[in-house]
């Protein structure tokens, strides 16, 4: 196999791998080398064959040089030896049935005739031309997939979405780059059923909402500035608990006559009063990459968000557990803040993002790919740039942090409590087998850091008997079942001492569940502490089809369910602390577009709630 064929095969394999299997950086680099080599050699071969097809040969010499060109396109005819001339002449005479004359006249062919024949015989290379078109198309798709954030940086992106919604307030995330003061107007949305009952005595139970309450203004504020990439987060205060609101964002343009322009609107429902029994339905998942697997499109989408839209009418919130952007997959553009901002704009510009996030509040934790793969260097560059962009787009709309300047936080929804860890900023180097027998060395290895860990321990004490159900959000899995690739260092498997310390505490907390993502697979595991973890990903990214293995039932764990396949996987949890306040019900449903097209669950698990008072 010659260089051209090797380069062509490498290009086709690498391009297909990046577009539809795993958008790996090193595979992309190999394709960057293979494609130009393949392109040059293919073009040279096609041009030469095109010239051959246009030539006429002398009648007495009709040599089939296609076989020679297929084996090599190098100009071998410029230095033909005497033996080669004889062999060529002999093959010509053999075709004409005159082997004897060929033997007698083996030296009679002139060099000019042989060279002319070698250059002029051929057919138009249709197959090679079609193959070239395929290779060009593949490379064009790779360039579009990798460089789309630069090709279309979405500088004029508009975002208006709800972030954290409590029982009496709502945080609203805005990106607006056209200038002019902004104004928020809001109103309660009262169900039609209540109006019909009040006005006509009808027992119609329609759940549609009527625009029947008066508008209120939250006041004007200045436009976002370029310093924050035209983003801002503001809050609506003094709202009513368990109430649905419609909020509009208006721009006030100062002209001869001041005009108000409606920019967008969102809807949300405030949470119940703290400690009140309630029902909550929320989505979970992590890891998204726009337009993967790749589809040629002017408007790339996020297929997992598109699937979530089918369930958005019933969701109270979405807990997104990291890898909202992939700063280093398939190419790391650089450490500048703008390099990270472009990737956030690409996600928010997707059509399904706009539709989903207008309807459902989304809360976030970040993971490594918001910075760089397997990040454990704390505040070293590019952490500062990465966190600036993260806070502008995802961090500030979250609940206020537990400590000023931190990213970990906690909140409640009725009598359901949440704690979201920051598993990246404070982590040190993972433990090694040499540290396992050294208590002092093991204590130096931490994922949470001492301040965050102590705050979390105090939270456990506070919610132990005040919240019916508790959820702990971790961007990386707590289970040790994943041992392939970097799992032994990057997940909680790499921090066994601190993990054991935490599980020794949570085993005494009733109805506490861990939610995680990261591994591009799904597992439901009962941990040694008796707590259950639901680890779900990717929402819209690659999955390894045949690589690695999840180790079931190891280290005192019990694997309830495991699933590898699926580019789209996310969970929806239904929590009911209202029907039986003493014994809550927790139901987890796995959705994947590989099963029922994501319309119905692929797997459902109902956890047994315990008495918690």
């Amino acid at each position: 196999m010659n260089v051209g064929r090797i380069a062509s095969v490498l290009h086709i394999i690498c391009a297909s791998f990046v577009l539809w299997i795993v958008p790996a950086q090193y595979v992309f680099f190999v394709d960057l080398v293979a494609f130009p080599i393949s392109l040059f050699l293919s073009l040279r071969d096609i041009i030469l064959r095109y010239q051959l097809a246009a030539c006429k040969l002398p009648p007495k010499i009709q040599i089939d040089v296609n076989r020679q060109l297929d084996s090599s396109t190098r100009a071998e005819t410029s230095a033909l030896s005497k033996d080669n001339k004889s062999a060529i002449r002999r093959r010509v005479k053999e075709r004409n049935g005159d082997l004897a004359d060929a033997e007698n006249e083996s030296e009679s062919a002139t060099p000019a005739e042989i060279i002319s024949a070698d250059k002029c015989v051929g057919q138009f290379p249709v197959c090679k031309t079609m193959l070239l078109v395929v290779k060009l198309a593949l490379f064009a798709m790779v360039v579009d997939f990798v460089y789309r954030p630069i090709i279309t940086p979405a500088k004029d992106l508009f975002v208006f979405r709800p972030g954290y919604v409590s029982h009496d307030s709502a945080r609203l995330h805005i990106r607006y780059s056209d200038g002019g003061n902004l104004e928020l107007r809001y109103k309660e949305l009262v169900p039609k059923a209540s109006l019909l009952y009040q006005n006509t005595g009808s027992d119609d139970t329609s759940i549609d909402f009527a625009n029947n309450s008066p508008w209120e203004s939250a006041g004007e504020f200045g436009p976002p500035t370029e310093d924050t990439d035209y983003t801002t987060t503001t809050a609506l205060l003094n709202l009513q608990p368990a109430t649905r609101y419609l909020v509009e964002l208006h721009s006030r343009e100062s002209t001869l006559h001041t005009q108000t322009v409606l920019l967008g609107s969102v809807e949300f429902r405030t949470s119940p009063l703290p400690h009140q029994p309630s029902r909550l339905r929320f989505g979970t998942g992590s890891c998204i990459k726009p337009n993967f697997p790749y589809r040629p499109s002017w408007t790339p989408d996020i297929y997992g968000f598109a699937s979530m839209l089918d369930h958005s009418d019933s969701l109270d919130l979405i807990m997104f557990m990291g890898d909202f952007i992939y700063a280093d997959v398939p190419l790391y553009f650089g450490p500048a803040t703008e390099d990270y901002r472009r990737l956030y704009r690409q996600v928010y510009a997707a059509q399904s993002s706009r539709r989903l996030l207008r309807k459902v509040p989304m809360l976030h934790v970040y993971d490594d790919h918001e910075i760089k793969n397997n990040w454990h260097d704390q505040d070293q560059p590019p952490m500062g740039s990465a966190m600036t962009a993260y806070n502008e787009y995802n961090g500030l709309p979250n609940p206020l942090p537990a400590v000023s300047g931190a990213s970990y936080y906690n909140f409640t929804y009725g009598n359901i409590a949440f704690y979201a860890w920051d598993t990246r900023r404070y982590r040190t180097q993972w433990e090694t087998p040499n540290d396992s027998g050294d208590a002092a060395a093991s204590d130096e290895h931490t994922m949470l850091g001492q301040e965050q860990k102590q705050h979390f321990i105090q939270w456990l004490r506070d919610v132990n008997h005040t919240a019916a159900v508790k959820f702990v959000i971790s961007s990386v899995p707590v289970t040790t079942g994943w041992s392939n690739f970097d799992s032994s260092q990057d997940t909680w498997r790499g921090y066994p001492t601190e993990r054991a310390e935490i599980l020794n505490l949570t085993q005494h907390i009733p109805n506490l569940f861990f939610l995680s993502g990261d591994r591009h697979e799904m597992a439901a595991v009962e941990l040694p502490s008796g707590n259950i973890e639901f680890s779900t990903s990717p929402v819209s990214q690659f999955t390894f089809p045949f690589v690695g293995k999840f180790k079931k039932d190891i280290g005192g764990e019990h694997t309830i369910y495991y699933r590898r396949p699926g580019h789209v996987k996310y969970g929806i949890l239904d929590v009911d602390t209202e029907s039986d306040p003493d014994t809550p019900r927790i139901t987890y449903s796995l959705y994947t577009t590989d099963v029922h097209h994501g319309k119905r669950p692929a797997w459902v698990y109902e956890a047994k709630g315990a008495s918690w008072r």
Side-chain angles (χ1 to χ4, degrees):
M1 184 179 291
N2 60 32
V3 175
R5 288 187 177 179
I6 293 174
S8 296
V9 171
L10 269 179
H11 164 54
I12 293 172
I13 291 176
C14 290
S16 301
F17 196 85
V18 168
L19 292 171
W20 297 297
I21 301 178
V22 179
Q25 181 170 279
Y26 295 115
V27 179
F28 171 62
F29 288 158
V30 172
D31 191 40
L32 286 182
V33 175
F35 173 71
I37 296 174
S38 170
L39 177 64
F40 171 75
L41 295 176
S42 295
L43 283 174
R44 191 182 70 171
D45 192 13
I46 289 172
I47 292 171
L48 181 58
R49 287 176 176 269
Y50 181 80
Q51 292 174 341
L52 293 173
C55 290
K56 279 191 175 182
L57 290 178
K60 67 174 183 177
I61 301 177
Q62 298 179 3
I63 304 174
D64 184 6
V65 295
N66 285 324
R67 186 176 302 172
Q68 296 178 12
L69 287 171
D70 288 340
S71 63
S72 172
T73 59
R74 295 189 297 268
E76 297 171 343
T77 60
S78 62
L80 289 174
S81 66
K82 184 177 180 180
D83 291 340
N84 287 340
K85 297 173 186 176
S86 301
I88 293 171
R89 185 61 176 172
R90 184 178 295 109
R91 288 200 300 272
V92 173
K93 294 297 183 179
E94 286 174 358
R95 291 193 190 95
N96 295 330
D98 197 359
L99 181 58
D101 290 342
E103 292 175 351
N104 294 332
E105 300 177 13
S106 60
E107 304 295 334
S108 62
T110 67
E113 289 176 326
I114 294 172
I115 293 173
S116 176
D118 214 355
K119 288 184 177 179
C120 293
V121 179
Q123 296 177 351
F124 184 76
V126 176
C127 293
K128 287 184 176 291
T129 303
M130 293 177 62
L131 180 60
L132 176 63
V133 171
V134 170
K135 291 188 288 187
L136 286 169
L138 278 174
F139 190 71
M141 289 189 285
V142 169
V143 169
D144 177 52
F145 175 64
V146 175
Y147 292 99
R148 178 58 72 104
I150 294 178
I151 297 171
T152 56
K155 288 283 190 176
D156 59 348
L157 171 70
F158 171 72
V159 177
F160 182 43
R161 71 175 184 92
Y164 171 58
V165 180
S166 70
H167 67 285
D168 61 357
S169 66
R171 298 179 66 79
L172 300 171
H173 175 226
I174 300 167
R175 187 186 190 276
Y176 179 64
S177 60
D178 288 345
N181 285 347
L182 301 176
E183 180 189 11
L184 287 173
R185 300 176 185 176
Y186 65 98
K187 66 190 304 185
E188 294 184 21
L189 292 178
V190 181
K192 286 182 178 178
S194 62
L195 287 179
L196 291 170
Y197 178 77
Q198 294 170 6
N199 297 335
T200 66
S202 170
D203 58 356
D204 188 332
T205 57
S206 170
I207 62 172
D208 292 335
F209 289 87
N211 297 332
N212 47 67
S213 58
W215 286 101
E216 297 184 49
S217 175
E220 293 186 28
F221 54 96
T225 65
E226 187 178 5
D227 293 340
T228 60
D229 201 27
Y230 302 103
T231 65
T232 187
T233 296
T234 188
L236 281 179
L237 305 176
N238 302 318
L239 304 178
Q240 297 300 311
T243 303
R244 194 162 190 86
Y245 284 89
L246 172 65
V247 184
E248 292 184 345
L249 179 66
H250 293 258
S251 173
R252 299 183 65 85
E253 299 181 352
S254 297
T255 58
L256 183 61
H257 301 285
T258 302
Q259 295 181 342
T260 299
V261 179
L262 174 63
L263 299 177
S265 63
V266 297
E267 293 182 20
F268 57 80
R269 182 177 182 272
T270 52
S271 64
L273 287 168
H275 310 302
Q276 179 177 329
S278 55
R279 299 188 182 198
L280 172 65
R281 180 174 171 86
F282 69 100
T284 71
S286 74
C287 309
I288 55 173
K289 179 67 178 175
N291 203 24
F292 187 88
Y294 181 84
R295 300 175 191 173
S297 173
W298 292 112
T299 56
D301 209 354
I302 298 171
Y303 309 123
F305 283 177
S307 179
M308 280 186 169
L309 272 167
D310 293 333
H311 314 282
S312 58
D313 289 340
S314 63
L315 291 177
D316 295 299
L317 64 94
I318 296 173
M319 193 75 235
F320 199 91
M321 300 174 292
D323 294 342
F324 189 77
I325 64 169
Y326 274 73
D328 55 345
V329 175
L331 181 64
Y332 183 62
F333 290 108
T337 304
E338 175 59 19
D339 294 321
Y340 290 95
R341 286 169 171 168
R342 275 196 307 265
L343 298 174
Y344 284 101
R345 294 198 299 266
Q346 184 191 24
V347 172
Y348 280 106
Q351 182 180 10
S352 58
S353 297
R354 293 169 177 260
R355 295 174 58 199
L356 178 67
L357 301 183
R358 177 185 174 274
K359 300 175 65 175
V360 186
M362 180 177 286
L363 307 183
H364 293 267
V365 297
Y366 69 96
D367 199 29
D368 55 338
H369 290 289
E370 276 90 349
I371 313 161
K372 288 185 78 173
N373 188 40
N374 294 346
W375 185 258
H376 62 273
D377 291 332
Q378 299 185 352
D379 286 330
Q380 295 297 313
M383 182 68 166
S385 299
M387 291 307 295
T388 295
Y390 168 77
N391 285 323
E392 289 169 350
Y393 281 91
N394 289 352
L396 291 177
N398 282 337
L400 293 176
V403 177
S404 178
S407 295
Y408 55 93
Y409 57 88
N410 59 278
F411 66 96
T412 60
Y413 186 98
N415 63 348
I416 304 166
F418 291 80
Y419 196 103
W421 281 335
D422 181 344
T423 66
R424 289 293 167 185
R425 185 176 182 181
Y426 311 102
R427 69 162 63 192
T428 61
Q429 188 77 8
W430 51 84
E431 290 185 45
T432 66
N434 295 332
D435 298 325
S436 58
D438 186 342
S442 297
D443 289 341
E444 295 177 357
H445 300 281
T446 177
M447 184 178 289
L448 301 180
Q450 289 302 314
E451 185 176 8
Q452 179 179 191
K453 183 163 61 177
Q454 291 306 314
H455 186 273
F456 171 68
I457 292 173
Q458 183 59 50
W459 176 82
L460 287 177
R461 297 191 183 104
D462 294 341
V463 302
N464 189 11
H465 295 296
T466 60
V469 181
K470 306 89 176 170
F471 292 100
V472 178
I473 313 300
S474 175
S475 66
V476 294
V478 180
T479 173
T480 59
W482 278 290
S483 58
N484 54 315
F485 298 111
D486 52 6
S487 305
S488 297
Q489 295 85 36
D490 196 54
T491 71
W492 278 97
R493 183 185 179 93
Y495 299 82
T497 301
E498 187 171 56
R499 175 180 180 271
E501 178 185 359
I502 290 171
L503 293 184
N504 283 338
L505 296 172
T506 60
Q507 67 178 331
H508 304 294
I509 310 296
N511 305 321
L512 185 144
F513 299 83
F514 290 95
L515 304 176
S516 65
D518 180 62
R519 301 318 300 176
H520 296 211
E521 299 173 8
M522 187 275 163
V525 178
E526 183 178 352
L527 301 169
S529 59
N531 307 111
I532 293 177
E533 176 182 17
F534 299 106
S535 186
T536 315
S537 64
V539 171
S540 195
Q541 243 291 27
F542 68 88
T543 188
F544 294 105
F546 305 108
V547 182
K549 185 177 181 180
F550 183 83
K551 296 182 178 179
K552 300 181 179 181
D553 303 330
I554 65 169
E557 298 180 355
H558 169 61
T559 302
I560 302 171
Y561 180 81
Y562 168 73
R563 180 180 180 85
R564 182 200 298 269
H567 290 103
V568 171
K569 295 191 288 290
Y570 55 91
I572 293 180
L573 286 109
D574 291 279
V575 186
D576 181 5
T577 65
E578 194 175 61
S579 299
D580 184 352
D582 292 326
T583 309
R585 296 176 58 184
I586 304 94
T587 304
Y588 173 93
S589 300
L590 171 66
Y591 290 83
T592 172
T593 51
D594 289 357
V595 181
H596 309 309
H597 304 287
K599 306 289 186 182
R600 292 181 285 129
W603 179 73
V604 177
Y605 179 80
E606 184 169 338
K608 297 179 180 178
S611 178
W612 58 278
R613 295 184 190 274

